[in-house]
Amino acid sequence: MDSRNNNNRYYNDYPYPGDVRQTNPYYSGVPGGYNGSSAPQQPSQPGGGRGGNFLLGMVLGVALTALVCGFTFVGMKVYEAVDSKNVAKKGTASSVVSEDTEKKLEAIEEVIEEYYYQDADIDVDAMTEGMYAGMVSALGDPYSVYYTEEEWSDMMQETAGIYYGIGAYLMIDPNTGFGKISGVIENTPAEEAGLRADDLLYLVDGESTMGMELSEIVSRVKGEEGTKVHLTIYREGESDYLEIDVERRQIEAPTVKYEMLENDIGYIQISEFDDVTTDQFTEALAVIKGSGAKGLVLDLRGNPGGSLNVVVDIARQILPKGLIVYTEDKYGERDEYTCDGRHELDLPMTVLVNGNSASASEILAGAIKDYKKGTLVGTTTFGKGIVQRVLPLTDGTALKLTISAYYTPNGNNIHGVGIEPDVICEFDSDAYYDEDVDNQLEKAVEVLLDDRG
């Protein structure tokens, strides 16, 4: 490890900033208020007061490095922060951290200390975390996120398939910017409360979700077991908003559901690609085959994505020998994920997709389509063809950054476009909720029987 980091978990190259009012060009020191009127000045604390230590921590913290489920890589190595003087890397014109930005941050904090009237309400930790989050948010990429220690812990629990919440899969609706339910888990509070896929989360406990990061919406919906969250829902076809209270419970998300349908057709639904999904899918496929299935319907509707490694493992139980997916980063470096073909599925197959099938779902659907291993039925998929990587930092927080684009075996990048199904079939929500008829599933079975002859 670089010796410069031995005495500080970030780094310790910066000198103490000193008195900002004497050295900072961003802070004039003139106590004039609005319209030039005087404003009372607060006495300074020794050594610059909270402004010195707190701001130094803020400035130093900004220089944390990052590289980065949509689907997500989870980097198991914990990355140390680097010397701020060497932050600029290849492909970066300059560093955000500089002497100038350091002084401006000092000035901002000094002004807040002297003039902000609710001084007792200042949460230093929240301001610091907000600064880190704002730096990542300024990239303008909705998939790049800063995770606090609590948020990172929650994310790891969700990836393991167990968490406390309501039992609904959430995503950001690209058309409105609100949170949206992409799927509901059976036998959970969300299903019991009558929530549906495509419901927009207009308000969560009275706060609008528009413009929120997905992680923030999820953290607001989740909570302690036995408590309730109040959701204001916009549902297409309803004349007014729906006000729904949902109790939070421990959710053990079964990511794979399977059954045998009529005419010896097996049905497997994958709701998300989590750590538990590979074993669940392997078991489901074995039962379906062992039941004498002569065809398979694979349902990826409402599947928002998940782990790249998991979807690749599942693809290796379906595809012939060859490429599953490949990624390219900004340096043109390419990573390929392949299949040896030893477990190629020998059943005719249809794959159900819709506008909420995203990321890892699109990898699997795209590869099946490229190899002509099955017929895609439904509506055009979401169109997320980029890769995020999550990298933990040394203080328990983490960064998720978009690092590359992915391509189907035929070289197609579907980001912003999606995958068009072979057979278009719009979902009939009235038939589904009023008559318990899944018209898309019926169409997939019909196509499968025609293909099977």
Side-chain angles (χ1 to χ4, degrees):
M1 182 186 296
D2 191 327
S3 61
R4 290 171 295 187
N5 289 324
N6 286 345
N7 297 321
N8 189 298
R9 62 176 174 173
Y10 297 123
Y11 54 85
N12 53 20
D13 262 357
Y14 271 76
Y16 189 80
D19 187 342
V20 297
R21 285 175 294 181
Q22 295 179 12
T23 63
N24 197 321
Y26 287 100
Y27 183 75
S28 66
V30 179
Y34 293 113
N35 301 319
S37 61
S38 299
Q41 299 186 48
Q42 301 297 323
S44 298
Q45 300 176 15
R50 187 179 61 216
N53 292 333
F54 161 52
L55 187 58
L56 180 61
M58 286 206 306
V59 174
L60 302 185
V62 173
L64 287 170
T65 57
L67 295 173
V68 188
C69 145
F71 70 78
T72 302
F73 288 123
V74 177
M76 298 313 296
K77 179 179 177 181
V78 178
Y79 281 72
E80 294 284 348
V82 297
D83 174 8
S84 65
K85 297 178 181 179
N86 296 315
V87 166
K89 302 296 183 184
K90 59 179 179 177
T92 302
S94 61
S95 171
V96 173
V97 180
S98 67
E99 181 179 354
D100 196 45
T101 54
E102 177 187 354
K103 289 181 177 180
K104 187 167 182 177
L105 282 170
E106 292 174 10
I108 290 172
E109 191 200 13
E110 183 75 13
V111 171
I112 290 173
E113 281 194 344
E114 292 202 10
Y115 296 116
Y116 185 64
Y117 80 108
Q118 290 183 320
D119 186 68
D121 294 336
I122 294 177
D123 187 331
V124 174
D125 290 337
M127 291 175 68
T128 306
E129 296 292 346
M131 183 180 64
Y132 302 147
M135 185 175 180
V136 179
S137 177
L139 295 173
D141 175 17
Y143 303 108
S144 293
V145 180
Y146 168 80
Y147 293 110
T148 65
E149 187 172 359
E150 181 181 0
E151 289 169 344
W152 173 233
S153 176
D154 289 344
M155 180 181 174
M156 293 301 290
Q157 289 180 13
E158 289 182 23
T159 302
I162 300 175
Y163 62 96
Y164 293 95
I166 65 173
Y169 297 108
L170 304 181
M171 64 187 299
I172 300 294
D173 180 66
N175 298 318
T176 65
F178 286 101
K180 182 174 77 170
I181 295 176
S182 62
V184 175
I185 302 172
E186 288 187 351
N187 302 317
T188 63
E191 184 185 57
E192 294 166 6
L195 295 174
R196 301 179 181 180
D198 292 326
D199 282 348
L200 290 182
L201 299 180
Y202 180 63
L203 302 175
V204 176
D205 284 334
E207 292 197 40
S208 172
T209 65
M210 178 179 282
M212 282 189 184
E213 299 286 353
L214 180 59
S215 59
E216 185 178 358
I217 299 174
V218 170
S219 68
R220 291 175 183 272
V221 172
K222 292 168 56 180
E224 293 184 10
E225 186 173 16
T227 61
K228 290 184 177 180
V229 59
H230 183 77
L231 305 178
T232 303
I233 299 293
Y234 170 79
R235 179 178 296 165
E236 188 174 356
E238 296 289 340
S239 60
D240 201 356
Y241 294 106
L242 304 177
E243 304 291 342
I244 301 176
D245 288 311
V246 191
E247 183 180 0
R248 301 176 176 106
R249 295 204 299 260
Q250 178 172 314
I251 306 297
E252 296 184 14
T255 61
V256 176
K257 184 177 75 172
Y258 61 93
E259 62 178 305
M260 286 296 297
L261 306 177
E262 295 179 355
N263 299 306
D264 296 324
I265 293 176
Y267 170 86
I268 298 178
Q269 179 190 51
I270 305 176
S271 56
E272 195 164 19
F273 294 97
D274 290 337
D275 293 346
V276 297
T277 307
T278 301
D279 289 341
Q280 291 178 2
F281 177 80
T282 301
E283 176 185 349
L285 189 58
V287 172
I288 292 297
K289 287 181 175 180
S291 300
K294 297 179 181 177
L296 173 65
V297 176
L298 179 61
D299 192 348
L300 300 178
R301 292 176 296 176
N303 186 321
S307 167
L308 173 64
N309 291 331
V310 171
V311 74
V312 166
D313 285 342
I314 289 174
R316 287 171 177 152
Q317 301 184 54
I318 296 174
L319 299 178
K321 182 177 181 179
L323 195 61
I324 298 172
V325 64
Y326 67 92
T327 65
E328 283 188 4
D329 64 17
K330 65 180 181 180
Y331 307 113
E333 297 179 359
R334 176 167 165 166
D335 288 325
E336 297 185 349
Y337 300 83
T338 61
C339 176
D340 60 19
R342 290 186 297 172
H343 304 286
E344 180 179 358
L345 187 65
D346 59 356
L347 294 174
M349 177 170 52
T350 53
V351 182
L352 283 167
V353 293
N354 65 9
N356 294 329
S357 304
S359 196
S361 301
E362 294 172 294
I363 287 179
L364 185 56
I368 290 172
K369 183 173 183 177
D370 282 2
Y371 282 110
K372 302 188 185 325
K373 283 295 296 180
T375 302
L376 271 58
V377 178
T379 55
T380 302
T381 62
F382 182 82
K384 183 176 183 291
I386 50 179
V387 182
Q388 284 72 47
R389 172 168 288 164
V390 177
L391 294 176
L393 302 177
T394 55
D395 62 349
T397 63
L399 290 175
K400 180 176 73 173
L401 294 180
T402 299
I403 61 168
S404 59
Y406 77 76
Y407 299 82
T408 70
N410 287 348
N412 299 316
N413 176 253
I414 50 82
H415 190 64
V417 178
I419 301 172
E420 186 174 343
D422 302 298
V423 178
I424 297 176
C425 179
E426 298 287 341
F427 180 64
D428 187 341
S429 60
D430 291 337
Y432 183 81
Y433 291 108
D434 297 339
E435 304 171 26
D436 197 25
V437 174
D438 188 339
N439 70 301
Q440 288 181 324
L441 177 56
E442 289 186 344
K443 187 64 175 179
V445 171
E446 176 187 328
V447 170
L448 187 58
L449 292 175
D450 288 343
D451 290 343
R452 196 172 72 181

